[in-house]
Amino acid sequence: ADGLADLQAAIGKLSGLDRIIADGLHALVSEHAPSLSPKTWYGLPAWANADGKAVVFLTPASKFKSRYSTIGFSDLAKIDDGNLWPTSYGITKLGDVEKKKLAALIRLAVK
């Protein structure tokens, strides 16, 4: 399957802030973790390792009628920080501050 086409189709179904966040996240992953491949995961925008397993994914707010979208990292992401660390982040805006934080997490995820 063409992961990029699937991802673009999934993002194309989104609107408003969900679409802005999805497009921005795709750009960040493409720039900071080019080893990850675009795909969909349970119909969600996602980016996978060489084995095709999702490492980063987006749950748009509209999917579950939530007040915010969620950017998640699977157990394959190397974001461990001691014995307790967050694996998902609620997001209501994708500005410069959020992009900087996400870029650092994405780089760490594939380190």
Side-chain angles (χ1 to χ4, degrees), residues 33-47:
S35 63
L36 297 180
S37 301
K39 69 177 283 172
T40 55
W41 186 56
Y42 299 104
L44 302 172
W47 296 265

Side-chain angles (χ1 to χ4, degrees), residues 46-63:
W47 296 265
N49 65 13
D51 295 327
K53 301 200 185 245
V55 176
V56 181
F57 59 91
L58 173 70
T59 304
S62 60
K63 177 78 173 173

Side-chain angles (χ1 to χ4, degrees), residues 1-2 14 21 25 36 44 58 69 90 93 98 103-104:
D2 185 351
L14 302 174
I21 291 170
L25 183 57
L36 297 180
L44 302 172
L58 173 70
S69 294
K93 175 185 173 190
E98 295 79 18

